[in-house]
Amino acid sequence: MGLAIITGVWGGTNTIARALKSIEEDYSGTKDWDKIKQKVSKKAIIYTIMDQDATYKKYIGQNWPEIRVFYNANQFWCFAYPWKQVVPKSQQPYLEESLMGPNIINNHGPLFEKYYSYGDGQNQEGDPNHFEGDILKIINTKRGDFTKYDFISEGDSQSFLHLVDVGLDNYDDP
C-alpha cells in the first residue's frame, strides 16, 4: 500500500475536517486539485472510536468520500467504564483485580502505584464526579459490580492501539 497517513480519533473528527478543508481551500481552484485530492484520499485513513461531533457526516464523508474510515466503537467500549457489560465473561479476568493488582498495580514502582483502578482509594483532583476510587461506591453501579484494583478505563488508548504493528497487516485491515 505504501506510506499511509493514519490518524486515530478519540471523539470528533473536527481537527481532521479542518485540515482537509484547508487543503481544499488552498488547492480546489488549481489545475492540480483533482490529483491532490486523489493523493490525499488514497493516503489518508481515519480510525475512530467515537463520533462526538458531526464533522465527518457533514463534511468529510460528503466531500472526501474516497478516504478510508474504520469506525471501531466496540473496542472503545471494551476499554471504557462499563467493560463488565461488554467484555465476554471469559475475558474479564484479564481486567479484574486478580490480574491487575499483583501484576500491574502493586509493587511495580511509583508510576503503577498512581495508576487508577476501581476501589484504589485515589481521587482525581479537580474531578468531583470521580467516585471510582471509593471502595464503598463501586458495588452495584450502573456499570456493574467492581472490586478493588479492577480496571477502570483507558480513555484515549483505543484510538492509538491500532498503531502498534502486530504483524497481521493491521494498517491495511485494523
Side-chain angles (χ1 to χ4, degrees):
M1 180 177 100
L3 183 63
I5 302 167
I6 304 172
T7 184
V9 180
W10 185 90
T13 53
N14 55 5
T15 304
I16 298 167
R18 182 62 250 177
L20 293 170
K21 183 71 173 166
S22 293
I23 293 169
E24 183 180 354
E25 289 170 350
D26 290 349
Y27 297 101
S28 66
T30 69
K31 64 179 176 58
D32 294 326
W33 170 236
D34 289 336
K35 279 194 257 178
I36 292 169
K37 185 174 183 180
Q38 182 181 16
K39 185 176 182 178
V40 170
S41 295
K42 186 175 181 180
K43 285 190 158 219
I45 300 171
I46 298 173
Y47 182 95
T48 183
I49 61 168
M50 288 293 284
D51 201 13
Q52 290 183 327
D53 63 50
T55 54
Y56 176 78
K57 186 176 183 179
K58 290 184 176 181
Y59 174 73
I60 299 172
Q62 293 178 16
N63 296 288
W64 297 84
E66 300 301 315
I67 291 179
R68 289 195 304 162
V69 177
F70 294 100
Y71 184 76
N72 191 357
N74 289 338
Q75 187 178 39
F76 169 76
W77 289 115
C78 287
F79 281 103
Y81 296 108
W83 61 266
K84 285 218 176 192
Q85 300 167 354
V86 181
V87 174
K89 293 274 187 215
S90 64
Q91 301 301 305
Q92 289 185 13
Y94 295 107
L95 301 172
E96 291 174 340
E97 180 278 331
S98 58
L99 183 128
M100 296 288 294
N103 296 299
I104 296 174
I105 299 169
N106 296 320
N107 303 313
H108 292 282
L111 178 61
F112 284 111
E113 286 176 11
K114 296 289 185 186
Y115 187 85
Y116 289 109
S117 63
Y118 278 108
D120 62 8
Q122 297 186 76
N123 189 3
Q124 290 183 359
E125 189 175 329
D127 184 356
N129 296 318
H130 178 82
F131 70 87
E132 291 85 5
D134 187 340
I135 194 83
L136 301 174
K137 295 182 179 175
I138 62 170
I139 305 298
N140 206 15
T141 73
K142 65 180 178 181
R143 302 173 185 164
D145 287 334
F146 299 94
T147 58
K148 187 175 183 179
Y149 300 132
D150 278 356
F151 174 80
I152 291 182
S153 176
E154 276 297 330
D156 296 352
S157 296
Q158 305 85 287
S159 298
F160 302 99
L161 288 174
H162 72 283
L163 295 174
V164 177
D165 187 357
V166 296
L168 300 172
D169 276 339
N170 56 307
Y171 294 147
D172 290 328
D173 187 3

